[in-house]
Amino acid sequence: MAKIGITDNVFAFVPITTVTILGSHVQDRPNFMALGWLTRCNFKPPMIAISVNKSNQSCIGILESGEFSVNVPTTDMVSITDYTGLVSAKKTDKSNLFETFYGQLKRAPLIKECPINVECRVAEKVELATNFLFVGEVVGVHAEESVLTEGRPDPEKVNPFVLSMPDNRFWSLGECVGRAWHEGKSIKRNIR
Amino acid sequence: MAKIGITDNVFAFVPITTVTILGSHVQDRPNFMALGWLTRCNFKPPMIAISVNKSNQSCIGILESGEFSVNVPTTDMVSITDYTGLVSAKKTDKSNLFETFYGQLKRAPLIKECPINVECRVAEKVELATNFLFVGEVVGVHAEESVLTEGRPDPEKVNPFVLSMPDNRFWSLGECVGRAWHEGKSIKRNIR
């Protein structure tokens, strides 16, 4: 099984992530931007890492306020989510695109139309060549009751979408193909 | 549309990410661990951020070597991938689980069975409460020719799977629901 090197590293296929809408305050107004570069990054307390290009107004806003939100849109919101990534707050006021509300943090605007909203306070920031990597401590999570199963968000009810690169396509979730920390148990037994 | 606060933040539904297998050297031997906490984090040069619990041998190994690999398994590899996350290198030698090869970095073992392999050199590290966040500069990407379309990895051919939490389930990719930096163009035209 031959492997070949891919010269254009930027477009390498790693990794797929949930598409979210980043909320921040820019010049005291709510601003929103499609965000696909994020991951959980600390177990306790819960933290998530997001990466934002330095040229984005969202980046400047988060550096100033130390607060941001991550909102999870459904597949019905593909176009409006994508739109937030196509226009800059420099030229277009995006503060009224969504119905917003606030939790504990007053500069982390939350989107009513998104079934899951997470408010974060910046705990660490790392300046990279083109991007800022922000580590946010999760200070509040808000969810529509309709997307919960036994009190916890259920991906099948949330109906999120993910981004793959370099092809730049959005995908819904497919079939459940197993359970984490479970599927490997049969191998564990056999190897023992 | 009422929203409720979720008290158990740790298990909030953000975000879904590709399941990968992290490769590192631990005491001069290849070691592998299921890794679901990662994201792209810098555009140019290409970098990815990964988060590893401090108690993992992989974390100790990466701190020592400054190198790691990220390998993308297919849905056929769910059980073996999960297994690498169930057993610790402290007790079980995982160096022979896969057929390995090396690219530029000699302490970033790559997995032949995975169609995509990425080798990274640690550029930044952030110590958080329970985890280390490593920022790795991508120094090489290797791919099976069979998963490429016009020279670039194609998610439909790679057939990866993603992890959702708090339900801890693995999912295949579903339907393509749109194109990034494209679907929002109709809204942009209307608003203008």
Side-chain angles (χ1 to χ4, degrees):
Chain A
M1 188 190 298
K3 295 239 173 154
I4 61 173
I6 296 174
T7 50
D8 190 351
N9 286 331
V10 175
F11 295 105
F13 173 69
V14 169
I16 288 169
T17 41
T18 310
V19 180
T20 64
I21 303 174
L22 177 65
S24 61
H25 266 208
V26 173
Q27 296 176 337
D28 293 328
R29 297 175 77 88
N31 185 42
F32 301 103
M33 187 194 102
L35 173 75
W37 291 12
L38 77 164
T39 180
R40 290 159 184 267
C41 71
N42 195 63
F43 177 64
K44 210 171 178 177
M47 292 180 172
I48 58 179
I50 67 166
S51 174
V52 187
N53 197 291
K54 289 184 200 176
S55 65
N56 286 326
Q57 294 296 297
S58 300
C59 186
I60 298 163
I62 295 168
L63 283 170
E64 280 176 7
S65 72
E67 300 178 358
F68 64 87
S69 71
V70 169
N71 305 274
V72 181
T74 69
T75 56
D76 296 333
M77 297 174 67
V78 164
S79 294
I80 190 73
T81 302
D82 192 55
Y83 173 74
T84 66
L86 285 175
V87 296
S88 168
K90 279 181 207 163
K91 294 188 179 173
T92 306
D93 177 10
K94 292 183 267 186
S95 64
N96 293 317
L97 275 184
F98 305 102
E99 203 175 331
T100 54
F101 68 105
Y102 290 83
Q104 284 187 58
L105 304 178
K106 300 311 169 195
R107 289 170 297 178
L110 307 171
I111 298 175
K112 274 209 176 154
E113 291 89 334
C114 292
I116 305 278
N117 316 97
V118 185
E119 37 177 336
C120 294
R121 185 182 289 123
V122 174
E124 301 277 351
K125 54 179 187 272
V126 183
E127 185 171 4
L128 303 172
T130 54
N131 290 56
F132 252 103
L133 180 66
F134 295 106
V135 174
E137 181 169 347
V138 176
V139 301
V141 177
H142 308 265
E144 275 173 33
E145 203 163 356
S146 62
V147 301
L148 303 180
T149 295
E150 294 176 357
R152 291 177 176 182
D154 182 335
E156 286 185 299
K157 294 178 180 173
V158 173
N159 192 19
F161 55 103
V162 298
L163 169 68
S164 64
M165 295 174 79
D167 55 316
N168 298 341
R169 277 184 287 179
F170 298 132
W171 307 85
S172 61
L173 283 188
E175 299 289 311
C176 177
V177 295
R179 285 188 285 156
W181 296 283
H182 177 85
E183 299 306 326
K185 284 182 183 171
S186 58
I187 296 177
K188 194 175 171 184
R189 278 191 296 271
N190 289 337
I191 287 182
R192 272 181 178 165
Chain B
M1 190 189 294
K3 296 239 171 154
I4 60 172
I6 297 174
T7 50
D8 190 351
N9 287 331
V10 175
F11 295 105
F13 173 67
V14 170
I16 287 169
T17 41
T18 311
V19 180
T20 65
I21 303 173
L22 176 65
S24 61
H25 266 206
V26 172
Q27 296 177 336
D28 293 328
R29 297 175 77 89
N31 185 43
F32 301 103
M33 188 193 100
L35 173 75
W37 291 12
L38 76 164
T39 180
R40 291 158 184 268
C41 70
N42 194 63
F43 178 64
K44 209 169 179 177
M47 292 180 172
I48 58 179
I50 67 167
S51 175
V52 188
N53 196 291
K54 289 183 199 175
S55 65
N56 286 326
Q57 294 296 296
S58 298
C59 186
I60 298 164
I62 295 168
L63 283 170
E64 282 177 6
S65 71
E67 300 179 359
F68 64 87
S69 71
V70 169
N71 305 274
V72 181
T74 69
T75 56
D76 296 333
M77 295 173 70
V78 163
S79 294
I80 189 74
T81 302
D82 192 56
Y83 173 75
T84 65
L86 286 174
V87 295
S88 168
K90 280 180 206 163
K91 293 187 179 174
T92 306
D93 176 10
K94 293 183 268 188
S95 64
N96 293 316
L97 275 184
F98 305 102
E99 203 174 330
T100 54
F101 68 105
Y102 290 83
Q104 283 187 58
L105 304 179
K106 300 311 170 196
R107 288 169 297 178
L110 306 171
I111 298 175
K112 274 210 177 155
E113 291 88 334
C114 292
I116 306 278
N117 316 97
V118 185
E119 37 176 336
C120 295
R121 185 182 290 123
V122 174
E124 301 277 352
K125 54 178 187 273
V126 183
E127 184 171 6
L128 303 172
T130 54
N131 291 54
F132 253 103
L133 180 66
F134 295 106
V135 174
E137 180 169 349
V138 176
V139 301
V141 177
H142 308 264
E144 274 173 33
E145 202 163 357
S146 61
V147 302
L148 303 180
T149 296
E150 294 176 359
R152 291 177 176 182
D154 182 335
E156 286 185 298
K157 294 178 179 173
V158 173
N159 192 19
F161 56 103
V162 297
L163 169 68
S164 64
M165 293 173 81
D167 54 316
N168 297 341
R169 278 184 286 179
F170 298 132
W171 306 84
S172 61
L173 284 187
E175 299 290 311
C176 177
V177 294
R179 285 189 283 155
W181 296 283
H182 177 85
E183 299 305 327
K185 283 183 184 171
S186 56
I187 296 177
K188 194 175 171 184
R189 278 191 296 270
N190 289 338
I191 288 182
R192 273 182 178 165

